[in-house]
Amino acid sequence: MTSRLNPYIAFDGDARQAMEFYKGIFGGTLTVNTFGDFGREEAGDAADKIMHSMLETDSGFTLMAADTPPGMEYKPGNNISVSLSGDDANELRGYWDELSGDGTVSVPLEKQMWGDVFGMCTDRFGITWLVNISEQQT
């Protein structure tokens, strides 16, 4: 898989409705995972909220979204970040090093419960970046 860059939108509890709306407009395939799907015991009332969703369209558009996780503040107007994802670990780690270098790391780039290596940082210009390195399929 080549690396790709796409928007990632945070919602305040209505990510599922929003992504279904966008699917109705753009078509494509929508995948949705809830906090409960990953056995997040601390999710509680948020078990049915969206931890990660991805809409991939026949036109080549990719849109990702999630509900704001429990314990994090939803900030309207500052709820879009940029996602870098793929399976080229060297390329993506290089991007991570440059983006996070003079920025702030909020989630270190490390193996996550879903099996991929993931990190989140805000660069020196205030842009939030999500970097996900997929496990290579054998």
Side-chain angles (χ1 to χ4, degrees):
M1 165 194 339
T2 60
S3 297
R4 64 175 150 190
L5 180 145
N6 59 272
Y8 203 113
I9 306 172
F11 289 93
D12 192 24
D14 54 359
R16 182 182 305 273
Q17 295 89 334
M19 292 300 280
E20 288 172 354
F21 172 74
Y22 299 138
K23 180 182 179 197
I25 294 170
F26 300 115
T29 303
L30 176 61
T31 57
V32 175
N33 298 103
T34 65
F35 288 99
D37 290 340
F38 287 101
R40 300 284 305 260
E41 295 175 15
E42 70 273 15
D45 293 339
D48 291 331
K49 299 296 180 190
I50 305 306
M51 182 173 169
H52 175 73
S53 63
M54 181 166 61
L55 176 63
E56 295 180 288
T57 74
D58 295 337
S59 297
F61 301 157
T62 300
L63 180 62
M64 296 181 184
D67 287 312
T68 302
M72 291 184 72
E73 181 183 0
Y74 173 74
K75 297 178 184 176
N78 193 19
N79 55 334
I80 295 180
S81 53
V82 182
S83 171
L84 283 169
S85 56
D87 59 12
D88 187 331
N90 289 334
E91 178 184 37
L92 290 165
R93 284 181 187 280
Y95 296 146
W96 170 263
D97 291 343
E98 293 292 325
L99 291 165
S100 65
D102 291 330
T104 304
V105 173
S106 51
V107 176
L109 187 65
E110 60 189 21
K111 185 110 170 170
Q112 299 296 324
M113 71 180 111
W114 59 88
D116 294 347
V117 172
F118 173 83
M120 182 167 63
C121 68
T122 302
D123 70 20
R124 64 185 178 170
F125 299 104
I127 304 300
T128 300
W129 293 86
L130 312 172
V131 176
N132 192 86
I133 304 170
S134 301
E135 290 293 308
Q136 292 193 8
Q137 304 297 319
T138 56

